[in-house]
Amino acid sequence: MAEYSFREIEKKWQAYWENQGTFLAEVNPEKPKFYTLDMFPYPSGAGLHVGHPLGYIASDIVARFKKLKGFNVLHPMGYDSFGLPAEQYAIQTGQHPAITTEENITRYTEQLKNIGFAFDWTKEVRTSDPSYYKWTQWIFMQLFNSYYDLEADKALSIDSLISRFEKEGNSRVKAVCDEDTQAFDAAAWKAFSEKEKQEILLKYRLTFLAETSVNWCAALGTVLSNDEVKDGFSERGGHPVERKKMMQWSMRITAYADRLLQGLEKVDWSEPIKEMQRNWIGKSIGAEVVFEIKGSDKTIKVFTTRVDTIYGVTYLALAPESELAAELITEDQRATAEAYIEVAKNRSERERMSDVKTISGAFTGAYAINPFNGEEIQIWVADYVLAGYGTGAVMAVPAHDERDYNFAKHFNLEIRQVIDGSMENGSFPGKGGLIINSGMISGMYMKDAMIKAIEFLEEKGIGKGKIQYRMRDAIFTRQRYWGEPLPVYFKDGLPYLIDEKELPLILPEVDKYLPTEDGEPPLGRARDWTYKTSEGEFPLEKSTMPGWAGSSWYFFRYMDPKNDAEFAAKDKTDYWGAVDLYIGGSEHATGHLLYSRFWTKFLFDLGAVSIDEPFQKMINQGMIQGRSNFVYRVKGTNTFVSHGLKDQFDTSDMHVDVNIVHNDQLNLDKFKAWRPDLANAEFVLEDGKYHCGAEVEKMSKSKYNVVNPDDIIERYGADTLRLYEMFLGPLEQFKPWNTNGIDGVFKFLRKLWNLYYTPAGDFAVSVAEPSKEEFKALHKAIKKMEEDMTHFSFNTSVSSFMICVNELSSLKCNKRGILEPLAVLVSPYAPHIAEELWALLGNTESITKTSFPAFDEKYLIENIHEYPVSINGKMRVKLTLPLSLTVPEIEAVAMADPNVQKWLEGKAPKKVIIVPGKIVNLVV
RNA sequence: GCCGGGAUGGUGGAACAGGUAGACACGCAAGACUUAAAAUCUUGUGAGAGCAAUCUCGUACGGGUUCGAUUCCCGUUCCUGGUACCA
């Protein structure tokens, strides 16, 4: 066999790895561990396109590299298999989503296996599998049975809260709970009925049922979380989304806001991703201030980050949804104010967002009293105030806040300056200035004034310092079929958990996957969707969990996927620990990555795992975009003009399938065969070729720019695909898929192959001692790969392999001493060809069992070496010096250099520091 | 609007600590082999001038720091990701 026949080789080694269990990963305390993880895919009906494997290839390279370096590597793959597309398909066709999902998974697995990943497939997980979602439900139950204790700063069991209530009521309990929780003492607690007790406990539980304002998507018939909504439309499907009040399960993720923020300091993620999470959590430090209302015993609580400007408050503004606002309206303002509230409330979120510039509001007629100076100030209703943030009320300081300023200008309200500085054409004195016209805090700067003002508030009992988060509690229910059922039944209208022994609560069969006629979720169609206890039969929860439930803990399940007694055994989670390298897209920054951190912290509090950050290092690979090709048809004819000549004709452009275009040249025969109407197409060519136009767009079927990895593998092989995806550019960069350069990578593999063969096609490797040049070529590549592995710049490693093989081939190197380590070196990138060559060299064990070739610097040293010279830490000149020179000789040559002389101006340097091979420092 | 990331030949991209810009690859051109094509190999390939050695200009644009800037600083333009009345 002389030809590089990748088809045979790849099939052979993929079967070998599977039969030998080469990549099975088991706990082994003798060896250091390395956990590489990819964001598992949702198995969609379209199959994998060429963009999906990008990150998987990168992590596979790292996994194989680490294995060669002696690590025990866990590198699993699985499927996030609950999701909307399968359900939508089920609605249209009546086919059970489980069947569609199964088919898609089969196809995905087949496609993935063709690429030759070092996955341990025995660790595969599927979120829609009952043996998996049993534990998703179990985690939900633990959350239900926990509350967040602020003194311990962790989640504790709800039973411990109950025993505190029995002893002393709730007045001294510092815990995260609903705003409206009333105080009670031990006696009162004991006097409460079972129902009342449960209602109170629900206000503390980490997952709870409450009436919440949600993003309702009528077209999908379900609620969506904030990160599933983009610009007022659903992320999947692009349907309009509106705000609606509904009873929903929520997760008290806000209890963890601060720990989620602090945890970011400990992990090695890119700064932009951390920043996105910080913004999403949106911590603001400020104060809550209570304003009394004139002629009423009601009060208005506002949140502000700038109490120091309190003397500049000239009105209060309430959100239109505020019930208090409706109550406060006086007779003379009733007509206008109520009309305004009606209009504002009915404006959809979408309208409100797209129309930020229009200023609107209405005076209620009521007045509040500024607690600092006793002044009466008007109370307004304004739709720039959001009901969902802070207290839904704002103290307006028009002089120092842009929105307040615009509002005051529009309605002709007073603008009172309390920070020194000029205020001209819309520029506001900011945080730096001295505070003026402000009674007790005049003459202070912001920081001191805030402290003083908060002290005053707390003394008087009319406010306090407060930290507010932008992040809301996460809605945890979806009115869908294809998701995890919640292990909850209802008694007296209150939720109770089912018995843990009953898990998993299996998703029931339904006749249709649509909501019921009376608007209940699809599970409302299930027969016997009830729970039987000794007390009777009770209805089960009809909503299911959101998509992010299953993906928030799958990285633990990979460690122990078949465990039926625990979500994962403690000794296994302790051994594998946090994910050492997580590769995936940045689009999950505010969804999956935040929820996973939240659940991990919770499991940590529970003592179920020993880590509280799941992903130590993360790389965000850039999306691969499509690159569309165009042909230019002369209008009204069947004649197509090459790109360069199209301006000479009246043409219209047309997408052409990128798979019949190579290097932007159209394959004319394939084009004629592409569609029947093109069979008799005619062409106007340039230099005998048809050049297509190209444009970067999203990869989509309708643009004929989808490239299937299977096609690339069929034509060039998996090793070429792997190398090429890496060669395309930096992993983190967004880039269009473009096969223009793939021939070069394929040629490289063929050249590599030919190193082991004579021109006549015989396998021939000599045992002669390699020359210095040969060692040098190899060790340059070894060094480069080791360095690249620390910065994840896979693209330049591929280049360094190419250089190495080019040099070896021009040296006609066929020596075992070089070719054996060379096969190992390239094996993480191109594992199939490496295994084949390794076996040809007479090795009987897989190449993955050997170790990475040791780098030796001595091979890189040349006779002539360039020394950069730097003087006084500033001047640096590169000199070409023979390596044999002694230190004084190097110094002499450096001193004789014209640039150095110019710099020294005749003076002698005080000290000469020479770092061999590095830098000569001359200190003046 | 606010917060990130980016802009280098015909193309994808190198330059990892301020020190020979354009590695490597594609494409293109010329040549070798071939009846021919494909494949392979060799050479050239940022722009301009020159027979040539060589010189000048060049990393989006305008400035600055430095002996020296793709790299650091200030300003501008364009592309791109996130987020958006968050008080």
Side-chain angles (χ1 to χ4, degrees):
Chain A
M1 182 169 71
E3 281 290 294
Y4 165 44
S5 38
F6 54 85
R7 287 192 193 89
E8 271 168 59
I9 293 172
E10 291 178 356
K11 232 177 254 149
K12 171 178 162 190
W13 288 102
Q14 283 166 13
Y16 175 90
W17 294 327
E18 187 146 351
N19 295 338
Q20 298 287 312
T22 308
F23 302 113
L24 300 190
E26 293 314 324
V27 168
N28 177 0
E30 310 280 290
K31 270 184 162 186
K33 66 94 190 184
F34 195 87
Y35 185 3
T36 351
L37 181 67
D38 298 290
M39 288 184 185
F40 62 166
Y42 171 77
S44 84
L48 282 179
H49 68 65
V50 104
H52 290 107
L54 180 72
Y56 308 157
I57 293 170
S59 69
D60 199 61
I61 289 166
V62 176
R64 287 172 177 271
F65 176 75
K66 287 285 175 183
K67 198 168 159 73
L68 291 173
K69 282 283 189 180
F71 287 86
N72 188 18
V73 176
L74 178 59
H75 186 219
M77 180 49 74
Y79 298 98
D80 190 9
S81 48
F82 272 132
L84 207 46
E87 177 158 339
Q88 300 263 286
Y89 188 74
I91 291 168
Q92 286 160 24
T93 63
Q95 188 172 50
H96 197 288
I99 297 170
T100 323
T101 303
E102 182 67 37
E103 283 169 1
N104 293 346
I105 287 180
T106 306
R107 174 148 163 68
Y108 263 65
T109 307
E110 197 181 299
Q111 284 185 295
L112 287 171
K113 285 191 173 170
N114 281 340
I115 304 173
F117 289 118
F119 291 136
D120 176 354
W121 282 105
T122 65
K123 299 280 188 293
E124 182 189 330
V125 301
R126 298 176 184 188
T127 55
S128 62
D129 195 310
S131 70
Y132 180 90
Y133 68 66
K134 171 180 180 180
W135 298 105
T136 311
Q137 291 170 336
W138 180 84
I139 294 171
F140 173 88
M141 292 173 86
Q142 309 313 305
L143 282 154
F144 186 83
N145 281 332
S146 303
Y147 76 104
Y148 200 88
D149 190 282
L150 288 166
E151 274 166 330
D153 198 21
K154 62 184 282 199
L156 296 177
S157 94
I158 204 88
D159 291 338
S160 67
L161 185 68
I162 294 171
S163 50
R164 277 192 79 177
F165 285 171
E166 282 167 355
K167 259 182 265 162
E168 55 179 37
N170 73 346
S171 53
R172 283 172 52 211
V173 173
K174 288 210 170 68
V176 180
C177 61
D178 289 0
E179 285 282 319
D180 60 352
T181 309
Q182 307 287 324
F184 53 84
D185 59 17
W189 173 257
K190 283 173 192 146
F192 286 143
S193 69
E194 171 63 17
K195 188 174 171 169
E196 285 166 323
K197 282 181 181 169
Q198 287 302 330
E199 273 168 357
I200 289 165
L201 290 173
L202 209 47
K203 294 175 192 292
Y204 287 86
R205 297 181 188 275
L206 281 180
T207 180
F208 59 100
L209 191 59
E211 169 124 297
T212 350
S213 185
V214 297
N215 302 304
W216 173 255
C217 179
L220 296 175
T222 187
V223 300
L224 298 169
S225 69
N226 284 346
D227 61 278
E228 289 169 320
V229 182
K230 292 271 176 293
D231 301 327
F233 288 95
S234 67
E235 197 180 24
R236 290 212 162 154
H239 306 291
V241 175
E242 53 183 299
R243 301 294 294 180
K244 193 176 170 185
K245 282 222 161 188
M246 285 177 80
M247 263 315 217
Q248 293 291 327
W249 285 95
S250 284
M251 289 274 165
R252 236 181 264 282
I253 186 173
T254 48
Y256 283 86
D258 218 43
R259 280 168 67 187
L260 288 169
L261 215 45
Q262 279 165 17
L264 289 174
E265 308 297 324
K266 292 190 288 190
V267 295
D268 184 7
W269 295 11
S270 73
E271 215 32 62
I273 293 281
K274 288 189 187 182
E275 202 51 35
M276 267 189 239
Q277 288 211 347
R278 285 192 199 107
N279 288 342
W280 188 262
I281 295 167
K283 180 178 184 173
S284 348
I285 300 165
E288 222 167 57
V289 185
V290 178
F291 285 76
E292 281 179 14
I293 298 166
K294 189 183 158 197
S296 163
D297 50 2
K298 294 254 159 84
T299 56
I300 295 175
K301 211 191 260 178
V302 304
F303 174 75
T304 176
T305 52
R306 300 293 307 276
V307 238
D308 56 313
T309 61
I310 190 132
Y311 286 85
V313 176
T314 55
Y315 66 97
L316 295 188
L318 302 176
E321 292 87 346
S322 159
E323 284 164 28
L324 185 62
E327 279 176 44
L328 288 176
I329 296 169
T330 57
E331 273 320 310
D332 53 328
Q333 298 295 327
R334 188 165 299 276
T336 42
E338 282 187 348
Y340 174 71
I341 290 175
E342 203 44 43
V343 172
K345 264 191 180 166
N346 287 335
R347 280 179 89 191
S348 70
E349 192 84 341
R350 168 97 199 134
E351 281 175 299
R352 243 162 112 166
M353 274 196 302
S354 61
D355 181 27
V356 174
K357 285 185 189 79
T358 317
I359 296 159
S360 69
F363 180 40
T364 59
Y367 289 82
I369 295 163
N370 185 332
F372 281 73
N373 56 13
E375 243 179 84
E376 289 181 10
I377 50 179
Q378 298 186 349
I379 301 172
W380 285 66
V381 181
D383 75 351
Y384 81 84
V385 181
L386 301 178
Y389 181 75
T391 60
V394 173
M395 57 171 237
V397 186
H400 305 290
D401 180 280
E402 194 180 337
R403 290 169 320 231
D404 297 346
Y405 177 83
N406 292 336
F407 192 86
K409 269 273 180 218
H410 189 261
F411 289 106
N412 233 342
L413 300 166
E414 191 194 346
I415 297 168
R416 187 190 305 160
Q417 192 175 359
V418 289
I419 296 175
D420 201 21
S422 68
M423 183 164 62
E424 283 164 32
N425 47 39
S427 91
F428 308 89
K431 299 176 176 179
L434 195 70
I435 291 171
I436 54 170
N437 304 328
S438 294
M440 70 173 88
I441 54 172
S442 282
M444 293 181 164
Y445 285 95
M446 177 170 133
K447 211 175 154 195
D448 295 331
M450 298 238 322
I451 294 167
K452 172 93 186 179
I454 290 170
E455 268 172 22
F456 174 80
L457 288 170
E458 289 179 351
E459 234 168 73
K460 289 251 182 176
I462 49 162
K464 57 180 187 207
K466 194 179 176 191
I467 293 168
Q468 183 70 46
Y469 297 94
R470 195 185 81 102
M471 182 171 66
R472 320 283 166 86
D473 282 330
I475 309 286
F476 197 67
T477 30
R478 300 290 182 270
Q479 287 63 43
R480 283 187 203 150
Y481 175 72
W482 192 229
E484 302 88 343
L486 284 95
V488 168
Y489 68 93
F490 288 89
K491 189 172 80 181
D492 285 343
L494 281 171
Y496 292 86
L497 294 180
I498 67 168
D499 192 320
E500 212 173 293
K501 288 194 284 290
E502 306 281 333
L503 292 180
L505 179 63
I506 306 270
L507 189 62
E509 295 298 322
V510 293
D511 56 345
K512 270 193 231 164
Y513 304 97
L514 286 168
T516 64
E517 277 66 37
D518 35 349
E520 288 209 306
L523 292 196
R525 294 175 177 276
R527 261 182 292 152
D528 305 327
W529 192 235
T530 55
Y531 185 68
K532 295 177 192 73
T533 71
S534 52
E535 296 171 67
E537 193 171 335
F538 301 99
L540 281 159
E541 169 67 54
K542 295 189 183 73
S543 295
T544 52
M545 298 188 196
W548 56 267
S551 60
S552 294
W553 71 281
Y554 75 112
F555 39 92
F556 288 124
R557 189 65 178 173
Y558 278 140
M559 299 170 185
D560 196 6
K562 305 212 163 69
N563 195 333
D564 198 39
E566 289 169 279
F567 73 94
K570 190 80 191 316
D571 60 326
K572 295 193 174 164
T573 57
D574 279 354
Y575 175 74
W576 293 111
V579 173
D580 294 287
L581 177 67
Y582 196 25
I583 297 187
S586 57
E587 66 272 19
H588 297 107
T590 51
H592 161 65
L593 290 169
L594 205 55
Y595 299 130
S596 301
R597 295 181 59 223
F598 162 41
W599 278 28
T600 302
K601 285 176 191 299
F602 171 70
L603 290 170
F604 173 79
D605 287 354
L606 220 58
V609 297
S610 307
I611 52 160
D612 82 330
E613 280 296 338
F615 314 124
Q616 200 16 248
K617 163 93 188 159
M618 186 165 54
I619 300 281
N620 302 107
Q621 101 265 23
M623 215 185 332
I624 293 206
Q625 297 145 315
R627 186 174 185 277
S628 310
N629 277 114
F630 294 91
V631 291
Y632 304 92
R633 169 184 253 155
V634 178
K635 279 185 185 160
T637 71
N638 216 2
T639 301
F640 295 86
V641 187
S642 183
H643 180 71
L645 304 171
K646 74 180 168 87
D647 293 342
Q648 299 167 21
F649 297 85
D650 183 19
T651 59
S652 56
D653 49 8
M654 182 179 112
H655 276 96
V656 60
D657 190 338
V658 292
N659 294 300
I660 60 172
V661 176
H662 187 57
N663 285 339
D664 286 343
Q665 286 173 25
L666 184 66
N667 183 319
L668 301 183
D669 295 330
K670 283 187 185 167
F671 181 71
K672 286 183 183 175
W674 183 40
R675 285 194 335 220
D677 60 307
L678 302 170
N680 59 356
E682 292 182 18
F683 304 94
V684 180
L685 306 177
E686 284 174 89
D687 327 319
K689 288 162 191 159
Y690 190 100
H691 296 278
C692 296
E695 214 171 284
V696 174
E697 298 176 295
K698 227 187 120 163
M699 218 179 247
S700 104
K701 264 188 182 167
S702 64
K703 298 190 169 82
Y704 300 108
N705 61 3
V706 176
V707 182
N708 184 325
D710 298 342
D711 297 341
I712 305 283
I713 291 172
E714 176 54 30
R715 187 157 172 190
Y716 296 99
D719 284 336
T720 299
L721 174 76
R722 293 168 61 105
L723 279 161
Y724 189 61
E725 292 225 1
M726 292 300 106
F727 183 70
L728 211 50
L731 183 62
E732 307 196 55
Q733 196 168 297
F734 280 63
K735 55 207 167 241
W737 176 260
N738 177 352
T739 34
N740 283 359
I742 200 164
D743 287 332
V745 171
F746 183 70
K747 275 188 223 166
F748 155 73
L749 284 176
R750 205 161 47 198
K751 267 190 198 171
L752 172 72
W753 179 261
N754 287 335
L755 284 178
Y756 297 74
Y757 282 86
T758 65
D762 303 311
F763 179 75
V765 173
S766 119
V767 289
E769 179 66 14
S771 71
K772 219 165 173 197
E773 285 73 35
E774 290 163 345
F775 272 125
K776 189 185 158 197
L778 174 71
H779 280 260
K780 266 199 304 199
I782 295 174
K783 183 180 185 201
K784 181 77 178 127
M785 175 154 165
E786 296 226 27
E787 281 171 0
D788 286 346
M789 216 41 85
T790 64
H791 324 112
F792 305 97
S793 31
F794 303 97
N795 53 329
T796 53
S797 274
V798 180
S799 296
S800 79
F801 297 154
M802 290 179 178
I803 296 168
C804 173
V805 167
N806 281 343
E807 284 177 8
L808 291 175
S809 105
S810 64
L811 290 167
K812 304 238 180 310
C813 171
N814 66 339
K815 291 165 190 158
R816 171 173 220 108
I818 297 295
L819 296 184
E820 203 166 78
L822 179 64
V824 182
L825 179 70
V826 300
S827 71
Y829 286 79
H832 310 88
I833 190 174
E835 285 275 21
E836 180 69 18
L837 294 171
W838 184 249
L840 283 168
L841 287 164
N843 294 292
T844 50
E845 279 222 304
S846 162
I847 198 166
T848 59
K849 300 268 198 280
T850 186
S851 48
F852 194 77
F855 168 65
D856 192 336
E857 190 156 27
K858 80 175 181 227
Y859 296 116
L860 297 196
I861 290 169
E862 298 172 52
N863 289 330
I864 299 296
H865 199 87
E866 288 196 348
Y867 281 89
V869 177
S870 97
I871 296 180
N872 214 5
K874 268 197 159 181
M875 168 89 185
R876 196 188 271 185
V877 181
K878 266 197 177 174
L879 302 172
T880 303
L881 301 172
L883 193 81
S884 54
L885 290 188
T886 59
V887 170
E889 283 166 339
I890 293 170
E891 191 186 330
V893 178
M895 296 300 290
D897 184 87
N899 281 308
V900 176
Q901 285 194 334
K902 189 172 142 206
W903 177 253
L904 286 171
E905 293 169 331
K907 286 175 282 185
K910 271 186 205 153
K911 202 160 115 194
V912 180
I913 304 152
I914 297 180
V915 186
K918 295 272 165 75
I919 288 169
V920 183
N921 285 298
L922 306 177
V923 180
V924 183

